[in-house]
Amino acid sequence: MQQTIVLALGGNAILRPGQRGTAEDQFANVKTTCESIARMVKHGYRVVITHGNGPQVGNILIQNTHSQDLVPAMPLDVCGAKSQGLIGYMIQQALHNELVKEDINVPVATVLTQVIVDENDPAFKNPTKPIGPFYTEDEARRFEKERGEKWVEDSGRGWRKVVPSPLPVEIFEKSAIAALIKQGTVVIAAGGGGIPVIQKDNTLRGIEAVIDKDLASSKLAGDIKADILMILTDVERVAINYRTPAETYLTEITVDEAKKYMEEGHFSAGSMGPKVQAAIDFASGGGTSIIASLKRSLDALRGTSGTRIKL
Ligand code: ADP
Ligand code: MG
């Protein structure tokens, strides 16, 4: 029986720090990432790819801002959909090209993904996720007054708008995704954490929010009954006492150990925290979660790199 793996790609899989973000930059990074993914497909895994979209949505928002006198600006849910299309296209093409080199004839398809969130999620009362470009304090204060938005100072780099980050409740397209995987397609889904939607009286409506991509990936992995959730980032393993003299990298831990370390505050809220939480959520249902570096994803599958979290 083939195993299904959900691969959650971190920001550096598509855009690296210091790069401008041209199409060429992004295609080049995606190609490197797809070389490893093609090898996983060759080894017989059924692969579902999820990814972040922070820099891409940021750039789409800047394009919006500077052209709104010419064409109407689009709301965040529509910008999220655009980013899923742009990144999905790059991965579809780059992965196809790598699969052909490996002599593998497998289709690759992107599923534009909506994720249901709860309109009573406490996150809606306390927006925390910074999005888009940086502004001056004066501008930020003006936007707060004029548009009723919330803006915060972001680590000395300027002021940014913040939006709510609710928990994913259900991947709306899960059955379409499951059907594609079952018939052998490599699927790209839940990009950027998915497009947050509210479901009421059986209708869906997009909402201004950002779902954490690792938590959405974990939800997707659970919804489609995947065997492995692999979260790929820029560090080889999860550490406790990170960046202190007592720093220790973890090879394999149980869900209970992961929960204990989480409570002790070893994982930062905006970065490693959601990854470990996502890993705990998925492993609690009996699957294997792995947090590893993008460069060593194949080693992590073999067990010679990364941190494994199991029940
Ligand atoms: P991604 O784009 O892959 O989601 P993030 O920057 O959100 O990447 O998260 C990865 C970062 O988490 C690493 O670069 C690392 O600096 C940071 N990090 C925070 N706490 C830890 C920890 N305890 N162990 C390892 N990395 C950690
Ligand atoms: Mg992140």
Side-chain angles (χ1 to χ4, degrees), residues 46-299:
R46 290 177 161 168
V47 179
V48 181
I49 301 162
T50 67
H51 58 82
N53 70 346
Q56 291 77 19
V57 155
N59 288 351
I60 291 169
L61 292 169
I62 294 173
Q63 289 169 340
N64 257 341
T65 307
H66 291 280
S67 60
Q68 58 191 358
D69 296 335
L70 300 171
V71 289
M74 292 291 133
L76 188 60
D77 57 328
V78 178
C79 294
K82 288 189 191 187
S83 76
Q84 285 187 357
L86 112 71
I87 297 168
Y89 161 59
M90 289 182 173
I91 299 177
Q92 270 181 221
Q93 189 177 85
L95 185 55
H96 169 80
N97 291 343
E98 295 309 314
L99 288 169
V100 165
K101 286 184 202 160
E102 300 275 0
D103 243 334
I104 304 168
N105 183 16
V106 160
V108 186
T110 302
V111 174
L112 223 112
T113 312
Q114 306 174 88
V115 178
I116 296 176
V117 299
D118 178 357
E119 66 178 331
N120 297 314
D121 190 309
F124 287 109
K125 293 207 173 74
N126 179 32
T128 52
K129 176 73 185 169
I131 56 155
F134 295 88
Y135 285 84
T136 66
E137 181 171 0
D138 286 350
E139 289 168 315
R141 297 288 185 215
R142 184 158 55 82
F143 295 144
E144 285 189 319
K145 264 201 208 117
E146 289 175 359
R147 306 180 190 163
E149 298 170 347
K150 186 177 165 196
W151 286 67
V152 297
E153 209 284 320
D154 191 350
S155 28
R157 295 177 295 176
W159 285 68
R160 274 175 110 188
K161 180 175 164 171
V162 282
V163 300
S165 188
L167 292 176
V169 174
E170 188 194 330
I171 307 293
F172 191 70
E173 283 76 16
K174 64 182 176 193
S175 42
I177 296 166
L180 282 168
I181 304 160
K182 203 173 162 203
Q183 60 90 68
T185 301
V186 175
V187 181
I188 302 146
I195 304 160
V197 296
I198 303 257
Q199 188 173 35
K200 233 183 186 170
D201 306 325
N202 248 334
T203 52
L204 302 175
R205 173 174 56 89
I207 188 152
E208 184 168 78
V210 171
I211 301 167
D212 180 84
K213 73 124 193 340
D214 295 312
L215 297 180
S217 305
S218 171
K219 177 63 73 181
L220 173 63
D223 280 357
I224 63 168
K225 299 183 176 62
D227 302 284
I228 303 168
L229 168 66
M230 183 182 264
I231 299 176
L232 296 175
T233 183
D234 55 359
V235 284
E236 269 194 43
R237 286 189 162 102
V238 180
I240 49 171
N241 302 307
Y242 185 60
R243 289 191 175 153
T244 73
E247 180 177 85
T248 308
Y249 281 89
L250 305 167
T251 305
E252 183 156 346
I253 54 171
T254 64
V255 166
D256 286 341
E257 284 166 333
K259 283 183 183 163
K260 180 175 121 295
Y261 293 141
M262 190 83 147
E263 275 162 26
E264 291 171 357
H266 289 282
F267 316 123
S268 341
S271 56
M272 194 47 79
K275 296 185 200 310
V276 176
Q277 186 60 54
I280 290 172
D281 292 348
F282 179 68
S284 296
T288 299
S289 298
I290 305 171
I291 299 172
S293 78
L294 182 67
K295 282 192 194 140
R296 300 202 53 193
S297 56
L298 293 162
D299 293 334

